[in-house]
Amino acid sequence: QVQLVESGGGLVQAGGSLRLSCAVSGRTFSSNLMGWFRQDPGKEREFVAGIRWSGGRTYYGDSVKGRFTISRDNTKNTVYLQMNSLKPEDTAVYYCAVNIHYSFTVDAREYEFWGQGTQVTVSS
């Protein structure tokens, strides 16, 4: 069983920055994929960024490449999402998730465990 708790969301002006944190507890594996997703009301859940817990290989959605950075601290069992140059279209609830299987995927349905989300609002 894995538990995920997101934090760090808030209100920020366009062009600003936020750092989200995802505290992970419970069983994890070296092959785990840790992912950040976001969802705005009426929209599909969108893959934002992912990282392999072991090795730290990263993946990014096209809409955030060059602006967001995902990282992890193995000692603290925490995954981070540094968000820079924020745009109003980044406004969403951001979720941390884990996929216990080997292959990378951007499909939210393939992630078994989810946090409750943290709201990010970017004003124009």
Side-chain angles (χ1 to χ4, degrees):
Q1 187 178 41
V2 177
Q3 295 83 43
L4 308 169
V5 180
E6 303 95 335
S7 62
L11 175 64
V12 64
Q13 293 184 338
S17 299
L18 285 173
R19 189 182 74 162
L20 305 184
S21 298
C22 174
V24 183
S25 62
R27 186 188 298 273
T28 59
F29 304 91
S30 62
S31 60
N32 282 174
L33 294 168
M34 308 300 301
W36 285 99
F37 292 78
R38 65 188 183 187
Q39 188 167 27
D40 220 10
K43 297 182 180 179
E44 295 291 326
R45 187 161 294 188
E46 176 189 15
F47 174 80
V48 176
I51 188 168
R52 292 195 178 275
W53 191 258
S54 179
R57 183 175 179 181
T58 58
Y59 313 85
Y60 294 96
D62 290 340
S63 64
V64 305
K65 288 180 179 177
R67 299 189 298 121
F68 291 9
T69 302
I70 188 170
S71 62
R72 86 273 191 262
D73 187 326
N74 298 62
T75 301
K76 297 181 179 180
N77 292 322
T78 301
V79 180
Y80 303 97
L81 184 68
Q82 179 66 46
M83 306 185 294
N84 298 326
S85 301
L86 283 162
K87 305 174 181 179
E89 50 262 45
D90 295 318
T91 295
V93 177
Y94 283 71
Y95 298 91
C96 183
V98 59
N99 179 353
I100 65 173
H101 299 106
Y102 179 79
S103 299
F104 169 75
T105 179
V106 301
D107 188 348
R109 296 172 296 180
E110 299 296 324
Y111 288 73
E112 290 85 1
F113 303 100
W114 294 81
Q116 293 301 306
T118 184
Q119 177 70 48
V120 172
T121 302
V122 184
S123 62
S124 60

